[in-house]
Structures are given as structure tokens and as C-alpha cells.
Amino acid sequence: MDLEREKEETKWFRKDGLRIKQTSEGKQTLVSVILDGYNICFKLMLFDFLDHIKEDLALDVKIKKIWNEQRVFVVDSKYVSDLINYIELFIGEWNIKISESTVSASDVISDELWYS
């Protein structure tokens, strides 16, 4: 993933249609994931993402709702790079794509909101 922007405690990464934003909050980091303009945190959960990452990397990742009730992953800041790398690999391995059956209009993330 390429570092796209950086401001204070937030970094934005991008690779093609995949965007990841990490925001440090002390010992924890919030990780937002959008694919082709949609928040896919819930979609990843449908693929048992949390179970896979716990099994494969022994990481304890939580879910938190933030702005506009959007879901984000929460991880210990020491392991944020591991989480981001795993997300990219997981999406490729499981061939995760956007489909109308697993995302909704409420999952759309505008650039204005993404970069705020």
C-alpha cells in the first residue's frame, strides 16, 4: 500500500480501489477500510475476518462504530502494520468485491468524509 497522506495522528494509504486509514488514539489505532468507495468492515466480518486474523496472526482486533455509525477495526498500535498488511492479503485471497447484497448506501464513504 502506498502512503497517500499524513496529518497529525492519521495516515491514509491507497492501492487501486482499496483505501485504508489509520488513526492513532494512544495505545490503540483505529483502522478504516474502504473498497471502491464503500466501507467494507462489515463485509469482511461476513468472511470471518476476525477469526482468521486471530488464528493466523494471534491478533486481538475489535470493532468500533464511529462517525455516521461506520464500523472500524481497533488494534493495539504496535500491530497496526500487521493488520493493514493482512487486510490487503485477505481481500486478495478471498477475492472480495463490492456487491449490492453485502453493502448498502449507508456504507458509501465520500472523499470529504474520508479525509476529514
Side-chain angles (χ1 to χ4, degrees), residues 27-29 59 75-82:
K27 293 182 180 183
Q28 294 185 326
T29 299
L59 287 182
V75 67
D76 186 304
S77 294
K78 295 183 288 192
Y79 304 111
V80 69
S81 294
D82 295 333

Side-chain angles (χ1 to χ4, degrees), residues 53-70:
I53 197 159
K54 190 168 197 168
E55 183 178 309
D56 294 345
L57 298 181
L59 287 182
D60 186 26
V61 178
K62 305 280 188 224
I63 302 293
K64 180 178 180 180
K65 285 189 177 181
I66 58 166
W67 33 265
N68 292 350
E69 294 297 308
Q70 292 295 320

